[in-house]
């Protein structure tokens, strides 16, 4: 299956040798293997972790110009993920996504992408100066969740924008829904341009045959993965997978070097090396356990009054070609409570912390670190909550339509960098936004810089705020004010649907 010996962990081994040799550190960081660290922190963390918190030198290699053990570790990762090249990222998947975008499009270039992208994608568009052409994903009105874009939508959008330089899709979405990425890859490649993928929530897909196909396997040219989200690396550590051909690999490396710190955490890098080894050598087995637990949880949750957890039955709907069962979306609108309320109750009363919530749902991410005991704790809490709210006088929540994609009249970068003035959100209808409006998580934009603010958007944001969801993107933390373009007459106005 693999060309290389996937039991190896060259970077981790180099760090362990450094510790084993009791090397005397006259290098940064200043805590010197924990010796100078405050006791309150050191006593909890332990000195082993701090002993491998090192800086760049020959034994442990350099992330910005790897020639030794980091290069070996990245080569092993590429082999494990069916890629030609893998780049380690300690800037989170957000940083990898931004580098990915900036390596394929520049100022004024069109990039086609779904509207339900993460805010890191829109940040990458601002940094690159590219012009986004948004595709509307399919919506499941039963659960109030955006699914994915269809190949037909990609095809139509490309026909209308044949001068686009790249297409970006999500595989899978935050909620685990995948599109027909193989077919999309064929469509995109027929235009001679690359397909790049936000695979933040799919780093595990390649390592189990019962999961949706991974981006690299499906023929994508590049994808950014949150290795830390489902498999075993540490938070903030990610990988960027690359296939040669339509991608300028050296430009991608340059962009990664531009965006990443010159003092990367070797703790994070070593965790990527170890996580890759674990997946390559025992991924099928341990992911099978996670999938089985998720199946058990889904069955139990669907037997609880007032709750619903969608699963494989969604496959076949428009925008749902395949599904990752490790994503447990608990729809609670029948109980008359919002997803935010459900999350708050779970966290504060039962000490069960979901991944995120939206207006109608709570999302729990299952992974290789879960146990049946922990799953039963979740199920028991949900049963108690159901009993309480099933007997209350709350009425079922109705799905609120997500606002239509507004008209864009300025490029996101021009609007973001343009002269702005702060006005009341309620008074901003008809103005050009200089900021984002989004609910986070999952960080999907309702409004982007350069777009015309509509009544529909204001009403939707007020609904989110009243429900207690965390709306962000504006300078004003309370999102009562928004910055709008002050004098757009001096800017080059463009129009886009």
């Amino acid at each position: 299956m693999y060309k290389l010996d996937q039991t190896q962990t060259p970077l981790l081994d180099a760090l362990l040798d450094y510790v084993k040799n009791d090397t005397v550190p006259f290098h940064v960081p200043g805590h010197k293997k924990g010796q100078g660290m405050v006791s309150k922190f050191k006593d909890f963390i332990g000195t082993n972790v701090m002993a491998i918190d090192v800086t760049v030198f020959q034994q442990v290699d350099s992330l910005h110009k790897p020639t030794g053990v980091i290069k070996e570790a990245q080569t092993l990762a590429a082999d494990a993920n069916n890629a030609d090249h893998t780049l380690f990222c300690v800037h989170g998947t957000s940083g990898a996504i931004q580098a990915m975008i900036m390596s394929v499009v520049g100022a004024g270039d069109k990039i086609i992408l779904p509207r339900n992208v993460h805010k890191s994608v829109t940040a990458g568009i601002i940094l690159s100066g590219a012009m986004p052409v948004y595709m509307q994903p399919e919506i499941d009105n039963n659960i109030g969740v955006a699914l994915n874009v269809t190949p037909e939508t990609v095809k139509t959008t490309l026909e209308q924008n044949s001068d686009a330089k790249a297409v970006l899709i999500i595989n899978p979405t935050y909620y685990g829904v995948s599109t027909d990425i193989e077919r999309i890859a064929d469509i995109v490649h027929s235009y001679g341009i690359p397909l790049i993928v936000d695979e933040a929530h799919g780093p595990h897909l390649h390592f189990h045959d019962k999961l949706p196909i991974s981006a690299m396997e499906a023929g994508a040219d590049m994808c950014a993965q949150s290795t830390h989200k489902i498999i075993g690396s540490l938070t903030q550590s990610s990988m960027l997978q690359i296939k040669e051909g339509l991608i300028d690999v050296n430009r991608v490396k340059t962009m990664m070097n531009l965006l990443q710190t010159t003092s990367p955490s070797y703790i994070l890098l070593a965790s990527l090396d170890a996580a890759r080894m674990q997946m390559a050598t025992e991924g099928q087995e341990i992911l099978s356990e996670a999938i089985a637990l998720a199946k058990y949880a889904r069955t139990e949750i669907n037997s609880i009054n007032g709750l619903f957890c969608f699963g494989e039955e969604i496959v076949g709907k428009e925008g749902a070609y395949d599904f990752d069962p490790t994503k447990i979306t608990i729809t609670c609108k029948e109980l008359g409570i919002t997803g935010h309320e459900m999350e708050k109750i779970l966290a504060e009363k039962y000490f069960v912390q979901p991944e995120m919530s939206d207006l109608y749902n709570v999302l729990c991410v299952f992974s290789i670190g879960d146990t049946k005991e922990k799953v039963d704790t979740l199920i028991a809490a949900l049963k108690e909550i159901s009993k309480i709210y099933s007997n209350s006088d709350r009425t079922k929540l109705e799905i609120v339509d997500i606002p239509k994609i507004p008209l864009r009249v300025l490029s996101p970068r021009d609007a973001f960098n343009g002269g702005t003035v702060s006005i009341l959100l309620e008074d901003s209808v008809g103005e050009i936004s200089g900021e984002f409006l989004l609910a986070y998580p999952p960080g999907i934009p309702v409004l982007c810089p350069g777009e015309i603010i509509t009544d529909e958007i204001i009403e939707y944001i007020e609904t989110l705020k009243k429900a207690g969801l965390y709306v962000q993107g504006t300078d004003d933390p309370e999102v009562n004010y928004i910055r709008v373009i002050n004098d757009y007459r001096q800017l080059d106005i463009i129009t886009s649907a």
Side-chain angles (χ1 to χ4, degrees), residues 402-434:
I402 298 171
K404 296 182 181 67
I405 300 173
L407 181 71
R408 174 170 55 80
V409 294
L410 289 174
S411 75
R413 182 162 73 177
D414 282 346
F416 187 79
N417 292 329
T420 59
V421 60
S422 182
I423 64 174
L424 281 169
L425 187 63
E426 62 194 54
D427 295 334
S428 66
V429 174
E431 300 286 345
I432 303 172
S433 177

Side-chain angles (χ1 to χ4, degrees), residues 34-47 50:
Q35 185 68 33
M37 183 64 70
V38 63
S39 295
K40 185 176 183 179
F41 186 84
K42 179 169 63 175
D43 291 346
F44 180 77
I45 294 294
T47 56
M50 287 181 280

Side-chain angles (χ1 to χ4, degrees), residues 89 91-105 118-128 168 196 222 224 240 252 255-256 258-260:
C89 186
H91 192 197
T93 311
S94 293
I97 285 172
Q98 289 157 13
M100 182 169 68
I101 292 170
M102 293 170 70
S103 67
V104 296
V105 289
H118 185 262
K119 68 174 186 175
S120 61
V121 175
T122 49
I125 289 169
I126 287 174
L127 290 170
S128 67
L168 181 147
I196 63 175
M222 187 161 42
L240 188 56
V252 180
M255 289 301 171
M256 286 285 277
L258 186 69
L259 293 169
Q260 293 210 89

Side-chain angles (χ1 to χ4, degrees), residues 37-74:
M37 183 64 70
V38 63
S39 295
K40 185 176 183 179
F41 186 84
K42 179 169 63 175
D43 291 346
F44 180 77
I45 294 294
T47 56
N48 280 350
V49 169
M50 287 181 280
I52 61 169
D53 186 19
V54 300
T55 189
V56 178
F57 48 81
Q58 186 175 356
Q59 183 181 351
V60 296
D61 206 1
S62 167
L63 181 62
H64 281 250
K65 193 174 181 180
T67 58
V69 290
I70 292 179
K71 182 179 180 181
E72 291 175 33
Q74 291 184 151

